[in-house]
Amino acid sequence: MTALDEIKIGGLGASRKRVEDDRFIRGKGNYLDDIVLPGMLHMEILRSPLAHARITSIDTTRAYEIPGVHLVLTGEMMATRNLAWMPTLSYDTQAVLATDKVRFQGQEVAAVIADDPYVAKDACEAIVVEYEPLPAIVSPAQAVADGAPVIRDDKENQADNVIYTWEIGDKAATDAAFAQADLVSTMKLHYPRSHPSPIECCGSVADFNRATSKLTVYMTTQAPHIIRAAVALVAELPEHMIRIVSPDIGGGFGNKVPVYPGYVCSILASILLERPVKWIEDKTGNLISTGFARDIYLDGELALRKDGKILGMRMHADADHGAFFSDAQPSKFKIGLLHSTFACYDIPAAHLTARGTYSNKAPGGVAYRCSFRVTEAMFFQERMIAAAAADLGVDPAEFRRVNFVRDEQFPHRTAFGFLLDSGQYAKCLDVGLRAIGYEEFRKRQEQARAKGRLLGLGISTMTEPLGAGNSREYDILGIKMFDSAELKVHMTGKAIVRTGARTQGQGHETTWAQIVAHELGIPAQDVVVEEGDTDTAPFGMGTYASRSTPVAGAAVSMAARKVRAKARKLAAHLLEVSEEDVEWELGRFYVRSAPDRGVTITECALAAYSNMPDGLEPGLEATAFYDPPNLTWPFAVYIVTVEVDPATGVWDVLDVVAVDDCGVRINPMIVEGQIMGGLTEAYAMANMQFITFDAEGNCIGSNYMDYLLPTAWETPGFELHSEVVTPSPHHPIGAKGVGECAAVGGPAAFVNAVLDAVGHLGIRNIDMPLLPDRVWEAITERHDVSGAPPVRSEG
Ligand code: MCN
Ligand code: CUN
């Protein structure tokens, strides 16, 4: 026997079909709403119709009169158990159920627990709440205006609506760079609110068992271990008596990272009633109250030399966080990793300031398919780069090439202190330009323009810091960021691997088995992957920020290597040679001097239970904790061509080319799926997704009539390229994260394409979404169109 064929056993690089899809496409998944426990009750939430109002009274009498109602929770009741407020992941507090005031439309005011969800919903309508309306704040400018009402008057020492001010970089060096500039280019834009809107909404089934004192909570969460710790601390329950189970998840996209009031209410209700309590959000609840992202005003400038070299960058961010500062992000950084902006460009000096403010909107700024605000960072970067190239009158592709971090500069320290691990930026750009037919398109564009047709080409590049931690720099609420994996090889050579990550559609059940196949030669189909149950899964920080492959995936590799080290001892014993004389090739150990004499990994597994050498612990399993030395930095180039109809402002996508370098691809087909999904979301954000607020704080876009999800019909086709592979030098298998790249880098490519088509008319910016009326207004009025100011409410 010789080494196994890695692709045949489903190892690294095999486009193995996703094993989880078998149950998903047959409708056999086990999602939260599929969980039915004996004696289970149902919870519904009453939400505030107003954005900002004092609560003068809540009368639950009529709700209690409805047959089938077991409990009505109010903020006042929660307060008696110290649960009216809960801590957030960013050292703020968030109301679980409102007591004093409501602070955004859709805020949780009361919860009814009843025999079935319809009764619970009816009972919610029977609760009488009296409100005294207050003026609403819907933008950072309003939040800091003189005389603005203080939204968070619940907090001691909070005299205004500012949450934080933050800065990073070298101000003096940046000022000096600007003093030397031949030209200063500016950009001001608003990245609007967006919502992850996974198919499945959030929910929980809490099951407190008085007999055993054990609390089991089935919950749509991307980070079950963190939730267990949070429940232990907030509800003051012992951690070993809490079991969080995250069942199959119908998409997360960041929506299922935060802790929501519904979870807490269902847990308290189960403890009080000693019965399982299920809460499932409806679509409106999900769209109006959970997991908003972005809503940030970015204002920056580049110091440029005549020859196209960028000398310095400065920017200011005004972030609208909504009523509670509840972002999940590393504690050290107030505005996530926004300072990853311009990381792929070699810029000597940079300075960033940020201010976060409260508003009467649902908590926002929560990550949506972006490693802690990298989406905003890259969008700003690529819009700014496009504008600066135009200001300088240089070719935008060439401008990027001149300023890229060069291959020989890695590892490269950015002006904000990140250490880029590896990359081949110019090569990716070349592949993209060739694929889109750059030179030919420019000619076509010119000819078309002469006939009054508007063609445009937009380039966007991005690099993303993926894989938090290392634990030195990254923690959430003081909990250091790392991950672990546990691998057990059974005596017949089959195996189970568990991690503290939680797949939500990314395919971990498929890819982790491929890593084991790569390390041990155990065919992937013989490895089962399990995640999401805190009673069985080893500790992990969860799945977000595309950290699973960089951290949990690396831990799988390391656990498998520990198993291989032990198997080597077993092999030496079986082969009757010393360990030093044993060599490894995929699936098999052999004697160096006699390669024909060997034993398979399966034979070693059996020996671990039946024929181990004296003094060797039986069994073949290992746990590895992995604290990455650095983040992984994938890179991508996205190029989009469009045609804008000057008469209507409607724009059609002609071609989309994507060149992603995420290092070694474990499963190329899954990676392509991730990229296509991300590009679809990028297209949606650029083209159609619109959540805004009127002057009274009414949320416009809290339904799928206003907030559009693209279907296969309107989504353009994508041409994907995988020929550039720069392994991460510090990751055990050279893989970098990829789950968010296209959603991060994609939007600017679409927007840059439209602005390239209309830029010669003197238009420098149109804020997303680039709805036809905005584009048409820009063309006909020949001015920039900002979507930022609140929409005036009618009547
Ligand atoms: N992969 C690979 N080779 C690489 C990198 C990744 O084969 N070099 C595979 C991984 O093994 C994994 C998938 O691609 O199966 C994504 O891996 P990774 O980039 O590590 O990202 P995570 O698994 O941590 O997923 C999180 C990321 C985030 S943060 C959001 S948001 C998002 C995304 O994934 N949410 C998703 N993609 C999603 N896809 C689906 N279907 N559903 C979501 O909710
Ligand atoms: Cu940034 S949303 Mo994902 O990190 O779960």
Side-chain angles (χ1 to χ4, degrees):
M1 184 196 155
T2 53
L4 297 170
D5 180 331
E6 173 139 11
I7 298 300
K8 278 197 185 138
I9 65 162
L12 228 52
S15 281
R16 218 186 147 210
K17 281 193 182 166
R18 306 200 328 167
V19 297
E20 44 267 84
D21 287 354
D22 189 66
R23 64 178 190 277
F24 294 160
I25 59 177
R26 288 170 206 271
K28 300 285 184 197
N30 186 38
Y31 296 96
L32 194 95
D33 206 21
D34 294 318
I35 294 168
V36 176
L37 300 179
M40 189 172 78
L41 300 172
H42 297 265
M43 187 180 98
E44 284 289 330
I45 290 176
L46 174 69
R47 297 178 181 280
S48 168
L50 301 176
H52 198 194
R54 203 159 291 289
I55 297 178
T56 51
S57 70
I58 301 180
D59 184 354
T60 60
T61 327
R62 279 185 43 226
Y64 267 115
E65 284 164 9
I66 296 178
V69 170
H70 291 255
L71 180 69
V72 183
L73 288 175
T74 60
E76 204 179 322
M77 277 178 72
M78 302 297 282
T80 63
R81 288 175 171 77
N82 212 12
L83 285 174
W85 292 83
M86 62 180 178
T88 70
L89 296 171
S90 281
Y91 296 95
D92 193 8
T93 49
Q94 173 170 356
V96 177
L97 293 177
T99 46
D100 52 338
K101 286 203 308 195
V102 288
R103 292 174 170 84
F104 66 88
Q105 185 181 56
Q107 189 181 339
E108 301 79 358
V109 175
V112 175
I113 295 90
D115 283 333
D116 74 52
Y118 306 101
V119 171
K121 203 148 205 131
D122 288 348
C124 279
E125 281 167 22
I127 298 171
V128 183
V129 187
E130 275 175 28
Y131 297 102
E132 203 177 89
L134 296 166
I137 287 175
V138 294
S139 72
Q142 291 177 352
V144 297
D146 284 343
V150 177
I151 296 170
R152 294 301 302 277
D153 48 356
D154 57 291
K155 292 177 78 171
E156 263 177 58
N157 309 324
Q158 181 77 43
D160 56 21
N161 293 313
V162 176
I163 308 171
Y164 60 80
T165 54
W166 194 69
E167 81 174 284
I168 192 165
D170 188 335
K171 183 171 187 310
T174 308
D175 289 346
F178 275 83
Q180 283 172 11
D182 295 323
L183 182 77
V184 172
S185 186
T186 62
M187 175 56 64
K188 203 173 179 148
L189 54 84
H190 178 232
Y191 199 133
R193 268 198 167 216
S194 58
H195 194 279
S197 47
I199 293 178
E200 184 198 28
C201 299
C202 298
S204 51
V205 179
D207 181 16
F208 180 67
N209 184 329
R210 176 69 66 198
T212 58
S213 294
K214 184 142 184 170
L215 172 69
T216 302
V217 191
Y218 303 87
M219 187 190 277
T220 50
T221 177
Q222 300 177 217
H225 285 91
I226 300 306
I227 295 285
R228 182 179 64 182
V231 171
L233 296 172
V234 174
E236 294 182 3
L237 293 169
E239 198 173 351
H240 67 300
M241 284 291 140
I242 303 168
R243 176 180 169 218
I244 305 294
V245 184
S246 174
D248 283 335
I249 296 189
F253 304 104
N255 191 227
K256 289 162 181 164
V257 176
V259 181
Y260 296 118
Y263 298 155
V264 180
C265 291
S266 69
I267 290 171
L268 181 66
S270 178
I271 292 172
L272 293 176
L273 296 167
E274 296 184 20
R275 290 185 51 183
V277 173
K278 179 187 273 186
W279 164 63
I280 299 269
E281 227 174 29
D282 58 19
K283 273 288 167 204
T284 307
N286 183 260
L287 266 173
I288 205 168
S289 73
T290 63
F292 285 102
R294 337 283 193 230
D295 208 348
I296 190 168
Y297 294 75
L298 298 165
D299 189 350
E301 2 178 45
L302 284 184
L304 302 164
R305 212 164 59 192
K306 272 201 296 280
D307 63 0
K309 177 82 186 101
I310 303 171
L311 302 175
M313 191 283 298
R314 64 163 79 104
M315 78 190 266
H316 174 73
D318 264 314
D320 182 339
H321 287 273
F324 311 107
F325 180 30
S326 68
D327 298 20
Q329 63 192 358
S331 312
K332 254 178 87 171
F333 309 108
K334 284 289 173 221
I335 186 133
L337 304 184
L338 191 67
H339 56 301
S340 60
T341 191
F342 285 92
C344 61
Y345 298 107
D346 180 17
I347 295 181
H351 185 237
L352 181 158
T353 55
R355 179 176 62 187
T357 46
Y358 290 118
S359 70
N360 292 112
K361 302 179 185 175
V366 173
Y368 159 29
R369 214 162 188 181
C370 109
S371 183
F372 316 116
R373 296 221 187 246
V374 175
T375 307
E376 291 96 311
M378 295 305 142
F379 182 73
F380 183 77
Q381 165 192 303
E382 290 303 305
R383 292 286 301 113
M384 173 91 254
I385 285 280
D391 290 346
L392 275 169
V394 298
D395 175 77
E398 195 49 34
F399 182 52
R400 286 176 170 87
R401 195 193 317 274
V402 166
N403 287 288
F404 274 154
V405 175
R406 293 186 312 278
D407 299 1
E408 65 276 13
Q409 285 177 290
F410 292 99
H412 173 75
R413 182 75 65 185
T414 73
F416 286 122
F418 288 109
L419 190 67
L420 306 180
D421 59 347
S422 63
Q424 302 176 68
Y425 300 168
K427 188 172 171 192
C428 289
L429 181 63
D430 289 343
V431 170
L433 293 175
R434 216 175 308 126
I436 203 83
Y438 191 64
E439 303 299 337
E440 298 87 65
F441 186 86
R442 288 297 182 207
K443 282 186 208 130
R444 259 173 73 198
Q445 182 180 28
E446 215 167 294
Q447 289 158 2
R449 198 172 284 169
K451 294 188 192 129
R453 283 174 57 206
L454 303 174
L455 299 190
L457 180 147
I459 302 174
S460 174
T461 68
M462 72 102 227
T463 184
E464 202 186 358
L466 295 180
N470 55 74
S471 69
R472 296 182 310 285
E473 288 174 293
Y474 299 94
D475 71 86
I476 289 184
L477 289 182
I479 307 170
K480 303 270 188 193
M481 299 187 80
F482 56 85
D483 266 77
S484 67
E486 177 198 83
L487 173 63
K488 297 185 177 189
V489 182
H490 310 311
M491 68 175 85
T492 56
K494 315 289 180 195
I496 177 165
V497 61
R498 295 186 169 109
T499 83
R502 185 53 181 138
T503 189
Q504 316 129 37
Q506 294 90 346
H508 295 178
E509 289 174 48
T510 308
T511 46
W512 295 170
Q514 293 185 246
I515 296 177
V516 175
H518 168 71
E519 296 288 354
L520 292 176
I522 298 176
Q525 65 190 32
D526 292 345
V527 183
V528 64
V529 175
E530 212 183 83
E531 293 179 335
D533 182 339
T534 56
D535 267 7
T536 52
F539 180 83
M541 292 296 282
T543 289
Y544 43 84
S546 302
R547 57 188 302 284
S548 304
T549 300
V551 198
V556 170
S557 237
M558 299 315 269
R561 287 177 192 185
K562 282 188 180 176
V563 163
R564 195 167 71 207
K566 182 161 183 191
R568 179 185 293 271
K569 292 186 198 301
L570 291 157
H573 171 67
L574 294 175
L575 294 165
E576 297 178 325
V577 291
S578 74
E579 234 190 284
E580 293 73 58
D581 296 330
V582 171
E583 290 284 335
W584 166 258
E585 61 186 6
L586 192 62
R588 165 180 193 268
F589 293 101
Y590 62 90
V591 180
R592 183 175 307 126
S593 55
D596 289 348
R597 278 189 61 212
V599 286
T600 63
I601 187 78
T602 313
E603 288 166 315
C604 294
L606 185 61
Y609 295 85
S610 61
N611 176 17
M612 50 283 189
D614 284 348
L616 187 72
E617 199 181 324
L620 193 56
E621 20 191 271
T623 300
F625 282 78
Y626 188 76
D627 185 0
N630 188 8
L631 299 158
T632 66
W633 293 81
F635 180 78
V637 172
Y638 304 113
I639 307 180
V640 170
T641 53
V642 298
E643 172 151 14
V644 179
D645 179 351
T648 60
V650 170
W651 50 280
D652 287 323
V653 176
L654 305 174
D655 285 303
V656 180
V657 164
V659 185
D660 276 85
D661 177 5
C662 58
V664 174
R665 296 183 178 201
I666 303 164
N667 182 322
M669 185 172 64
I670 286 185
V671 168
E672 293 201 342
Q674 289 292 314
I675 295 166
M676 288 187 200
L679 285 171
T680 306
E681 287 177 321
Y683 170 67
M685 284 183 251
N687 187 286
M688 59 179 76
Q689 292 189 332
F690 193 32
I691 293 175
T692 189
F693 293 80
D694 70 13
E696 278 88 55
N698 294 306
C699 178
I700 298 164
S702 59
N703 61 72
Y704 286 137
M705 295 292 284
D706 296 325
Y707 190 71
L708 305 179
L709 294 193
T711 65
W713 191 77
E714 50 270 297
T715 304
F718 309 123
E719 181 183 316
L720 308 186
H721 288 261
S722 57
E723 49 266 62
V724 189
V725 178
T726 319
S728 170
H730 59 80
H731 186 279
I733 54 171
K736 302 180 178 187
V738 76
E740 303 155 307
C741 293
V744 167
F750 291 99
V751 175
N752 281 345
V754 174
L755 279 146
D756 183 56
V758 302
H760 64 288
L761 304 173
I763 305 155
R764 205 179 154 79
N765 187 44
I766 305 172
D767 275 338
M768 291 194 292
L770 273 64
L771 302 170
D773 58 332
R774 287 188 180 179
V775 177
W776 184 80
E777 181 187 332
I779 296 171
T780 51
E781 310 278 321
R782 305 200 173 223
H783 66 192
D784 290 2
V785 176
S786 166
V791 174
R792 194 162 277 120
S793 75
E794 275 101 21

